[in-house]
Amino acid sequence: AFGGRLYYYPSQALTLSASVDRSLGVSRSATSLAAPFDTATRVTTFLLKANYAIASEWSASARFGYIRSEYVGSTQLDDAWTAGATIGYIVWKNFGLTLDYQFLQKSSNVLTENFTRNVITLGASYKY
């Protein structure tokens, strides 16, 4: 596995970042009848992200990315596009809330593997 990240700070409130990662893994989905068990994968990810501190207690971020999954020993290739946004609010010094939206559209040369997903998440974190 390897990768790299670049950060740019055009102002105190704004941070822009870009990352590229390549990792090896295992997929639990059968990629063919000849290989019905776990399959080794190579996944390449490109991600752009912007973080903005609206105020001392408010923050917002947006992200956009591309994910390419190759299945070793198989002809299956997956391409996915992702986008999302997060709004955060610090209620107290050690307690915060987040609202997140994540979009993912995956297309594959295996027709049963194509899908689109929209997820909205509300989160809370407490640090002691």
Side-chain angles (χ1 to χ4, degrees), residues 1 28 46 49 52 54-55 57 60 66 74 80 82 86 88 98 112 117:
R28 297 194 84 43
F46 300 91
K49 188 173 182 181
Y52 186 69
I54 300 167
E57 64 276 342
Y66 169 77
S74 171
T82 184
T86 303
T98 58
T112 59
R117 177 176 64 198

Side-chain angles (χ1 to χ4, degrees), residues 8-16 51-56 58-59:
Y8 176 57
Y9 303 93
S11 71
Q12 284 186 325
L14 181 63
T15 303
L16 303 174
N51 293 318
Y52 186 69
I54 300 167
S56 61
W58 285 98
S59 64

Side-chain angles (χ1 to χ4, degrees), residues 30-123:
T31 56
S32 72
L33 293 174
F37 304 107
D38 296 349
T39 304
T41 59
R42 285 188 299 263
V43 179
T44 306
T45 305
F46 300 91
L47 186 63
L48 300 173
K49 188 173 182 181
N51 293 318
Y52 186 69
I54 300 167
S56 61
E57 64 276 342
W58 285 98
S59 64
S61 67
R63 59 198 175 276
F64 179 77
Y66 169 77
I67 305 160
R68 170 98 174 181
S69 301
E70 304 169 43
Y71 298 82
V72 178
S74 171
T75 58
Q76 181 176 348
L77 291 172
D78 296 345
D79 294 304
W81 293 96
T82 184
T86 303
I87 295 176
Y89 179 70
I90 299 173
V91 180
W92 300 298
K93 181 179 175 182
N94 56 349
F95 178 69
L97 299 172
T98 58
L99 177 63
D100 183 76
Y101 169 73
Q102 180 72 36
F103 169 82
L104 178 75
Q105 182 175 33
K106 178 183 159 189
S107 60
S108 175
N109 60 353
V110 176
L111 295 179
T112 59
E113 296 290 319
N114 297 330
F115 68 88
T116 299
R117 177 176 64 198
N118 293 283
V119 178
I120 297 174
T121 307
L122 179 62

